[in-house]
Amino acid sequence: MALRFTLDPELTPGLRGQLVSLWTDVTNAGGAVGFVAPVTRTDVALEAERHYSALSEGRAHMVAGFDGDRLAASAFLTFNTHRLMRHWAWLYTVMVDPSRQGRGHGWELMRAAERAGRDLGLEGLKLTCRGGMGLERFYASAGYKEVGRVPAAIRVAAGDDRDDITMWLPLT
């Protein structure tokens, strides 16, 4: 079943709790969304607060995918503050509930983020992903092109360094 996507849903306490749960579950299932498993809801809640601030200040937008009233997927678009780069945004913290992966929801989320970028008047989306997980293949299937790679820039653990891969999607 397809998800219903919303740009900038109201950040009710319930939605905030669902986002923290989603982020925790994705991380603990091995997802590369800014943490290394294991994490607790408290770990994630602290980072989520920074996201909420950016949303409330208009520096970011949330793309949320719902199954009924349950948050099943989300991503964030963050604007650039540099005057020469305001025509594109960063796409980050791209997440699909681990119990729903493999059903095309990730691809749906990427399409929803692309539509949101266009609706916001952006000319491109840029993201980075952690190497060694095959994420660049997924993003390439959604139209993103690899435009840069910094070897061993992400230290997951002692002796486990991963490439930081930069990808770009033109919207025009």
Side-chain angles (χ1 to χ4, degrees):
M1 178 164 112
L3 301 179
R4 174 184 50 84
F5 287 92
T6 302
L7 179 62
D8 294 328
E10 182 182 355
L11 279 175
T12 63
L15 181 56
R16 288 173 184 237
Q18 288 185 50
L19 179 64
V20 168
S21 292
L22 175 64
W23 202 342
T24 303
D25 292 347
V26 168
T27 300
N28 287 332
V33 286
F35 294 97
V36 175
V39 295
T40 66
R41 286 180 50 85
T42 302
D43 297 328
V44 172
L46 293 170
E47 183 63 25
E49 285 300 323
R50 287 191 264 284
H51 283 58
Y52 304 148
S53 292
L55 293 167
S56 69
E57 294 167 8
R59 296 181 288 117
H61 291 274
M62 179 181 182
V63 178
F66 294 95
D67 181 3
D69 61 353
R70 180 174 151 76
L71 182 67
S74 69
F76 295 87
L77 296 166
T78 301
F79 294 117
N80 291 291
T81 56
H82 193 284
R83 67 188 153 277
L84 301 179
M85 297 184 203
R86 291 185 183 145
H87 59 289
W88 61 271
W90 288 97
L91 179 65
Y92 68 103
T93 319
V94 176
M95 304 183 286
V96 174
D97 184 319
S99 70
R100 298 171 185 274
Q101 291 177 0
R103 300 181 195 177
H105 296 319
W107 205 84
E108 289 179 71
L109 176 59
M110 298 305 291
R111 293 286 72 86
E114 183 179 336
R115 282 190 305 275
R118 284 194 173 95
D119 290 349
L120 293 166
L122 298 170
E123 295 177 24
L125 296 176
K126 187 175 178 182
L127 62 81
T128 62
C129 63
R130 186 184 305 170
M133 302 185 75
L135 295 170
E136 63 272 31
R137 288 189 301 277
F138 168 72
Y139 292 122
S141 76
Y144 285 75
K145 303 289 185 238
E146 183 175 328
V147 295
R149 184 180 287 252
V150 180
I154 300 171
R155 178 151 295 155
V156 176
D160 186 2
D161 294 342
R162 309 287 180 87
D163 292 356
D164 184 20
I165 303 165
T166 302
M167 303 190 78
W168 174 258
L169 177 71
L171 297 178
T172 56

